[in-house]
Amino acid sequence: HDFLDQRRANGTSFMLREGRDSLSRGDCLALVAANRLLTRVPCGGAESARWVYDSTTMAFHPAQDTSLCLDIFSFSSLGVYWCHGGPNQLFRSSEREVHCSPYDERFCVSVVSGRARSGEDARRRGEEGPKDELR
């Protein structure tokens, strides 16, 4: 149990929607399991649909297991895989609250609630606690 707790995100998490429009109607991306495609769930409080962003590695992690990363599978779909730092796990901020893959610009995600900014940025502004710090 302690091992699983160590892999949980520390701090504020948020929900993600596929594409560039966080205000559009539609479902949010949710974790099924490692090495699996994502599922879509209604945007709300489901823990499987909560994410954190690590601006240092440019990676999104499921809030419930930060050893996993949002991953582009076979140039065709978004899934979750163990973090390896490859280009298919990088998501660079391209506009406000939108992050696109430099590996394949067709793959973008947008923050639905919360903020996907770095904990360092928050500390510089004097806000309480990092938004994306991992335990």
Side-chain angles (χ1 to χ4, degrees):
H1 184 59
D2 288 338
F3 177 70
L4 292 177
D5 285 342
Q6 290 174 359
R7 295 183 347 190
R8 287 189 181 278
N10 183 15
T12 303
S13 61
F14 46 83
M15 303 188 90
L16 290 177
R17 186 172 282 137
E18 192 168 5
R20 295 178 179 269
D21 187 4
S22 64
L23 300 177
S24 68
R25 293 180 184 247
D27 291 334
C28 288
L29 300 173
L31 169 70
V32 174
N35 200 21
R36 297 281 308 269
L37 295 177
L38 296 174
T39 189
R40 272 83 176 150
V41 298
C43 295
E47 185 170 343
S48 65
R50 306 297 297 180
W51 298 85
V52 294
Y53 183 70
D54 184 337
S55 60
T56 304
T57 61
M58 294 178 16
F60 282 99
H61 303 275
Q64 64 191 81
D65 188 346
T66 58
S67 71
L68 303 173
C69 284
L70 183 63
D71 191 289
I72 299 171
F73 284 21
S74 302
F75 297 100
S76 64
S77 301
L78 290 173
V80 174
Y81 195 74
W82 290 274
C83 297
H84 53 69
N88 57 319
Q89 293 185 340
L90 304 179
F91 289 85
R92 176 175 42 218
S93 181
S94 60
E95 53 194 81
R96 183 175 170 81
E97 302 299 346
V98 174
H99 297 260
C100 294
S101 171
Y103 175 69
D104 188 334
E105 288 285 332
R106 295 176 299 156
F107 292 94
C108 296
V109 293
S110 51
V111 173
V112 175
S113 62
R115 307 232 6 144
R117 65 177 175 234
S118 75
E120 184 61 34
D121 290 344
R123 285 188 291 279
R124 269 185 278 190
R125 285 191 297 278
E127 296 175 7
E128 186 173 319
K131 300 286 183 187
D132 64 348
E133 183 176 320
L134 308 178
R135 276 190 202 179

